[in-house]
Amino acid sequence: MSKSRRKTALMGDLLERVREQFQRVTIGDDRPANTYTARDCLMCGLAIFVLKFPSMLKFDDARDEPVLCGNLRRLFGVARAPTDSTLRRRLDAIDPKAVHRVLRILFGRLLRHRHLEPFRTADGALPLAVDGTGYYTSTNVHCNRCLNQKTRGGEIRYRHAILGAVVVHPDVDQVVPAAVEPIMKIDGASKQDCEQNAFKRLLPRLMKERQGCRFVVLADALYANAPTVKRLREHGQDFILTVKDGSHAHALEQLHDISFQDDPDDPLCSYRWLEQAQLNEEHGEACLVTLVEQDTWDRHGKHARWSWATNRPVGTVADARAIAQLGRSRWRIENNVFKTLKAEDGYHFEHNYGHGEHHLCTIMMLLMFLAFTIDQVNAMACAFFQAARERQRAAYSLWESQRAIILFIACASWDEFYNRLAGVPPDI
């Protein structure tokens, strides 16, 4: 992807849009700490993840340092940073919709400025990988929104989880979060929430918030069922869903008598497909899809087979190859998003930043996703960030250097901040 020709760092503009939205947030808390605005608390929480502080305590230890205070004011617009306990209490009272709104606005900006064009398929759709993961677990601290699970030893384990929806493409290194849906008990509900229920909430919200945007939903075998296929079709969305022998034996049996066709562009791949196939025996003709299978061999002769159900047209090997490439790019949500967020030298997704009594756990998760989205946008579109990333090489080295600069070097702007990371000498 070509580098941006912007004369100033994109980060300043992005954070200004974020501050504008956080300025609208109010907190129903009348304790003495109300001198800290909601915007300052949210921007401090975001700064922790942008700068990759491993914990609130590490951030709090440096909170009163003059250099950090000045950089927070100039770069993040934070008038005054609260202590870690006050920050937790204040964020706990904020409705997560405030951060959802910022994620939605940021995604809309990417669409308007055509930053997502490299992700589009030949027919203009955006591949959207969907998957769930956990981010908080405890055997003691919990709330009425926690999911709970009894272990073999009879112990109750409480947890929070999310369903992520991320724009991916097999030929693009970056990924762009489109939405995040918490998987947790809804207020007043007695039943456990689950990934499928979260998807039922996420899909209509995506369609409402991303008006006119057409997706190709990429999901694992959990979603390859008749109700999900019906739901996707009702919303006018394409899909490529993994199917497996264990859960989709009826569907795959229909491919047994069809011969594979070799890929003329790749001698290590071959394909077969069947249109108007039954996804399962229970729904029969009521749920028809196109089945695509890919056989691959590596240079050592190791064989693998992949299968998908889709509603996209398949008539040639080239069509089947395109389905397979998109279907396999679904793994980017696990490898490029969840594993990156959970890395110990990165965003510390599974670190307990605090559970709170109301929304703290969810707010911190959403702020982390917002920071991750901002980093991905910068990696795609900001020459200043790209130059810093290129010089630092490893991501953990970039994050360590960021924290060193924010703590010890006063920077007047994000241009100067990234120039220092890139080794550009300051103007004298």
Side-chain angles (χ1 to χ4, degrees):
M1 187 174 296
S2 61
K3 294 184 177 181
S4 170
R5 294 183 179 275
R6 287 177 57 95
K7 295 182 180 180
T8 59
L10 181 59
M11 185 64 131
D13 186 43
L14 291 174
L15 291 183
E16 179 59 31
R17 303 286 82 77
V18 173
R19 283 195 298 272
E20 288 175 358
Q21 294 303 314
F22 286 165
Q23 183 68 43
R24 302 165 55 184
V25 179
T26 57
I27 306 176
D29 186 348
D30 57 359
R31 301 188 203 185
N34 61 10
T35 52
Y36 295 101
T37 66
R39 188 191 71 175
D40 279 355
C41 293
L42 286 164
M43 290 303 295
C44 272
L46 179 60
I48 289 171
F49 297 123
V50 167
L51 299 169
K52 313 301 179 289
F53 278 90
S55 67
M56 279 191 179
L57 182 59
K58 290 292 184 182
F59 181 79
D60 189 59
D61 286 344
R63 181 179 57 88
D64 292 328
E65 293 294 330
V67 174
L68 177 62
C69 290
N71 282 333
L72 287 175
R73 183 175 64 255
R74 290 184 294 270
L75 303 183
F76 289 89
V78 173
R80 193 158 66 102
T83 64
D84 61 335
S85 58
T86 299
L87 181 59
R88 287 190 180 93
R89 177 162 55 82
R90 300 290 280 167
L91 293 179
D92 189 36
I94 294 177
D95 191 331
K97 291 179 181 178
V99 189
H100 279 299
R101 182 171 60 245
V102 176
L103 285 166
R104 181 182 75 244
I105 290 171
L106 182 55
F107 191 85
R109 174 192 171 88
L110 296 178
L111 285 172
R112 289 193 305 274
H113 289 265
R114 304 182 69 82
H115 291 309
L116 299 182
E117 293 308 299
F119 292 87
R120 293 191 183 276
T121 61
D123 60 355
L126 287 172
L128 188 76
V130 176
D131 201 6
T133 190
Y135 66 94
Y136 171 87
T137 181
S138 174
T139 56
N140 296 311
V141 180
H142 62 280
C143 65
N144 57 7
R145 295 182 177 85
C146 277
L147 307 175
N148 58 74
Q149 180 180 15
K150 183 176 289 188
T151 66
R152 290 183 179 179
E155 185 179 50
I156 300 295
R157 186 168 295 276
Y158 303 97
R159 66 187 185 92
H160 282 265
I162 59 158
L163 179 67
V166 179
V167 174
V168 300
H169 193 279
D171 299 326
V172 181
D173 291 335
Q174 288 77 34
V175 295
V176 179
V180 183
E181 180 65 31
I183 304 173
M184 60 185 184
K185 289 182 181 178
I186 308 301
D187 286 341
S190 58
K191 293 183 179 181
Q192 296 271 72
D193 198 10
C194 67
E195 193 171 322
Q196 290 280 285
N197 285 339
F199 184 70
K200 292 177 185 178
R201 300 190 297 270
L202 176 68
L203 186 60
R205 178 160 69 87
L206 269 175
M207 299 305 99
K208 180 180 178 181
E209 295 173 354
R210 319 291 191 262
Q211 293 182 8
C213 193
R214 187 163 60 89
F215 296 108
V216 184
V217 175
L218 316 174
D220 62 24
L222 178 67
Y223 294 82
N225 57 68
T228 299
V229 167
K230 179 181 178 182
R231 191 171 296 113
L232 287 164
R233 283 174 166 153
E234 288 174 347
H235 285 89
Q237 301 304 306
D238 286 355
F239 56 85
I240 302 174
L241 310 174
T242 300
V243 293
K244 294 183 176 180
D245 282 330
S247 53
H248 300 91
H250 177 75
L252 296 178
E253 282 175 2
Q254 299 166 78
L255 287 167
H256 285 174
D257 296 330
I258 298 176
S259 300
F260 279 93
Q261 298 184 36
D262 293 335
D263 188 338
D265 295 331
D266 188 347
L268 298 179
C269 290
S270 60
Y271 303 89
R272 63 180 178 181
W273 60 90
L274 176 65
E275 296 182 299
Q276 297 296 298
Q278 297 178 9
L279 181 59
N280 57 48
E281 193 170 11
E282 178 185 357
H283 292 87
E285 300 293 323
C287 185
L288 299 178
V289 296
T290 296
L291 297 175
V292 176
E293 269 194 344
Q294 179 194 51
D295 265 13
T296 64
W297 293 262
D298 63 19
R299 58 185 178 181
H300 303 294
K302 184 177 179 180
H303 171 257
R305 178 169 292 175
W306 312 80
S307 308
W308 299 273
T310 183
N311 66 331
R312 290 173 74 80
V314 181
T316 66
V317 167
D319 294 336
R321 184 196 310 125
I323 295 296
Q325 288 174 339
L326 288 173
R328 293 179 66 171
S329 69
R330 179 187 68 82
W331 282 100
R332 288 181 179 269
I333 190 172
E334 176 63 34
N335 294 333
N336 295 38
V337 182
F338 296 151
K339 285 187 178 180
T340 299
L341 290 174
K342 293 176 182 181
E344 293 183 1
D345 55 3
Y347 298 81
H348 308 279
F349 189 44
E350 291 181 309
H351 175 77
N352 181 8
Y353 286 90
H355 185 275
E357 298 178 2
H358 303 287
H359 305 297
L360 177 62
C361 192
T362 302
I363 285 287
M364 296 305 287
M365 175 272 294
L366 290 171
L367 288 174
M368 184 183 295
F369 257 87
L370 179 57
F372 176 77
T373 303
I374 289 171
D375 287 340
Q376 294 295 302
V377 174
N378 277 324
M380 289 190 297
C382 181
F384 285 81
F385 183 92
Q386 291 163 351
R389 180 69 177 85
E390 185 175 346
R391 181 174 185 263
Q392 299 291 331
R393 296 182 181 274
Y396 73 86
S397 178
L398 177 64
W399 308 145
E400 288 178 349
S401 298
Q402 279 193 162
R403 288 195 300 275
I405 290 176
I406 204 76
L407 289 171
F408 302 114
I409 302 176
C411 295
S413 66
W414 282 105
D415 295 15
E416 181 181 348
F417 181 84
Y418 285 126
N419 279 339
R420 288 186 178 275
L421 281 171
V424 177
D427 296 332
I428 299 177

